[in-house]
Amino acid sequence: MIVEIKSNELEKLLWNIALPGFGQFLNGKLIKGIVLVILELLINILANLNETIISSFQGNIQLAIEQTNYQWLMFYPCLYFFAMWDAYKDAGGGKDRFSFLPFVFSAYFVTLGLIFSSNLTIFGVLLGPVWLPMLFVIPGLIIGFIIRKSINNFS
């Protein structure tokens, strides 16, 4: 299944991957962009996300787990994937029925990855609160695309 994304849509999507809200700014949605950037900064700071990312990249997963405020970080996947979807949609993408499903299921699965990130190992490796949720994007996308295709085929 090939998903066609135009240059304009891709640009907004990629800027939102960099920082939620940037795609909204490029789409001319200033208030929405400001709200998303403020929420991203609030959640980032209160979840200790930057420290968690640094520790994870340095291979100190146990420290990353200890630094993470999971109560706040649980908000991040939904904010992150909503911001991506919203910028993509406002840029002209997502016109197909149920095209939001890969974004939604990615948010669900990243949240699940986050929930289990402090104790779930893969092949004996503890991936922690950065790497495991990122890995869970893959099944979220796959299931979202499968469900979207199934619903559209039955309609």
Side-chain angles (χ1 to χ4, degrees):
M1 168 187 329
I2 297 175
V3 177
E4 184 178 329
I5 299 179
K6 295 179 182 127
S7 174
N8 183 46
E9 299 158 8
L10 181 61
E11 176 188 7
K12 306 317 185 320
L13 186 63
L14 291 176
W15 274 111
N16 255 355
I17 289 172
L19 186 75
F22 279 11
Q24 282 75 12
F25 289 142
L26 290 172
N27 283 329
K29 309 288 183 167
L30 298 181
I31 301 297
K32 197 185 303 185
I34 290 168
V35 168
L36 288 170
V37 168
I38 289 170
L39 286 172
E40 197 284 335
L41 290 172
L42 178 71
I43 294 168
N44 183 307
I45 291 166
L46 293 172
N48 299 320
L49 183 56
N50 288 342
E51 291 87 358
T52 301
I53 291 170
I54 291 168
S55 295
S56 295
F57 269 79
Q58 292 175 344
N60 195 341
I61 302 302
Q62 193 56 48
L63 179 59
I65 291 168
E66 292 166 10
Q67 290 171 322
T68 303
N69 182 332
Y70 286 90
Q71 296 298 317
W72 278 99
L73 194 54
M74 293 291 291
F75 291 107
Y76 200 77
C78 290
L79 172 70
Y80 195 76
F81 284 96
F82 171 77
M84 282 192 286
W85 160 250
D86 184 69
Y88 173 68
K89 179 179 57 88
D90 283 348
K95 295 195 185 310
D96 297 337
R97 290 183 52 206
F98 303 106
S99 59
F100 60 89
L101 288 175
F103 292 90
V104 170
F105 277 91
S106 292
Y108 293 160
F109 274 77
V110 169
T111 302
L112 283 174
L114 186 57
I115 290 168
F116 294 107
S117 67
S118 65
N119 57 15
L120 179 67
T121 61
I122 297 180
F123 302 114
V125 177
L126 182 63
L127 297 174
V130 171
W131 303 118
L132 188 66
M134 286 172 65
L135 189 61
F136 273 44
V137 169
I138 297 166
L141 285 171
I142 292 169
I143 289 173
F145 280 120
I146 289 171
I147 291 173
R148 184 183 89 180
K149 185 171 177 61
S150 298
I151 291 172
N152 285 333
N153 285 344
F154 289 121
S155 299

